[in-house]
Amino acid sequence: MQYLLLIYSSEAGMAAAPKEALTQMSAAYGAYTEAMKKAGVFVAGERLKPTKIATTVRVASGKTNVIDGPYADTKEQLGGYYLIEVPDMDAAISWAARCPGASAGTMEVRPIWPMAEYMTTYAA
């Protein structure tokens, strides 16, 4: 089963961090990614650019509204993700707990709902 590990942290905190701390964090993420690859659970993962350059899109009453910036101001922002394939939620939680982001922010573990399963369940 596939799970998305969403990494939330403070962009302001990262921007204010000393260069040495950022270098250490980068090395920790590199080691974490390599461990996932060696274990055969890594599917994909990327860091996201800052929310200040995000664009939010909503459609209401057939009208598309485009807003610069994130949907909501929050203490922590979505900064990146890993898509992993593991047997169950316990294994996904174990990998999330090992992520460097777990000690610097918050990890959200979300199961992927395969489109074929969704369509079989909800298609008319």
Side-chain angles (χ1 to χ4, degrees):
M1 183 154 190
Q2 291 187 338
Y3 294 85
L4 197 57
L5 307 182
L6 301 164
I7 306 163
Y8 292 89
S9 62
S10 167
E11 288 180 352
M14 290 294 287
K19 185 176 180 177
E20 182 178 296
L22 296 175
T23 300
Q24 290 174 348
M25 180 68 82
S26 180
Y29 270 105
Y32 176 69
T33 303
E34 281 306 309
M36 290 177 125
K37 289 178 178 179
K38 285 181 183 174
V41 303
F42 179 88
V43 176
E46 294 292 341
R47 182 175 178 191
L48 301 176
K49 291 192 176 189
T51 57
K52 68 182 178 185
I53 62 171
T55 300
T56 300
V57 178
R58 296 186 87 175
V59 177
S61 302
K63 183 180 178 195
T64 301
N65 297 311
V66 179
I67 302 165
D68 289 338
Y71 175 68
D73 284 328
T74 59
K75 183 178 169 186
E76 295 180 327
Q77 295 76 36
L78 177 61
Y81 69 91
Y82 283 97
L83 177 62
I84 61 172
E85 189 155 344
V86 293
D88 54 36
M89 179 62 90
D90 288 339
I93 290 169
S94 176
W95 278 105
R98 293 174 60 184
C99 181
S103 62
T106 303
M107 299 293 297
E108 179 181 347
V109 179
R110 178 106 42 111
I112 299 294
W113 199 345
M115 187 55 71
E117 179 185 326
Y118 175 81
M119 295 303 288
T120 301
T121 304
Y122 293 100

